Amino acid sequence: MDKMVTYRQYVLELLHEYSQYPPSYGDVELEMIVDPLRDHYQLLSVGWHKQQRIHGCILHIDIRDGKIWIQHDGTEEGSANRLVDAGVAKEDIVLGFQSPAKRRYTEFAVG
């Protein structure tokens, strides 16, 4: 199977799994946003807690130039580690939320 097809599947499985965890408070839904044509994937929390609006990104992943770019990761365990466990090579994962100068000190790709 084509590597990009496999990577897309891993990203979708990861988002789907995280979307199954119920929010710990409020009337909040988890919403997956998937744009397979442009390879943009997000998981958002949307709703209300008492009188406060909840709207935020939990996970944002793009696939660009053959690499998985983690643009935002609000998970506890780190989605990069989960992708590595699934079989993605570390050199194919970019921690986009890190500054380019700091990426070279990680185990992952610089971009």
Side-chain angles (χ1 to χ4, degrees):
M1 186 183 300
D2 180 347
K3 181 170 82 167
M4 290 301 97
V5 172
T6 302
Y7 284 3
R8 286 180 189 103
Q9 186 62 39
Y10 289 159
V11 169
L12 286 171
E13 288 172 4
L14 186 67
L15 260 66
H16 184 264
E17 180 181 335
Y18 282 125
S19 74
Q20 300 304 303
Y21 298 131
S24 57
Y25 60 86
D27 183 19
V28 179
E29 295 179 7
L30 298 181
E31 198 173 280
M32 281 179 51
I33 300 174
V34 177
D35 179 357
L37 295 176
R38 293 172 196 88
D39 279 325
H40 301 297
Y41 307 89
Q42 291 187 18
L43 181 63
L44 302 175
S45 58
V46 179
W48 291 90
H49 176 62
K50 299 180 182 176
Q51 298 299 314
Q52 182 178 3
R53 179 69 173 157
I54 305 295
H55 184 272
C57 181
I58 298 169
L59 192 57
H60 176 182
I61 297 175
D62 295 327
I63 300 176
R64 300 189 323 207
D65 302 322
K67 296 189 185 304
I68 297 174
W69 283 71
I70 302 173
Q71 305 290 11
H72 177 78
D73 190 349
T75 68
E76 286 187 32
E77 63 187 322
S79 57
N81 296 323
R82 296 290 304 280
L83 291 167
V84 169
D85 290 345
V88 178
K90 288 182 179 181
E91 58 267 13
D92 285 346
I93 298 173
V94 179
L95 303 179
F97 57 85
Q98 291 281 356
S99 74
K102 291 182 180 179
R103 287 183 207 150
R104 63 184 170 146
Y105 299 113
T106 73
E107 303 173 71
F108 301 97
V110 294

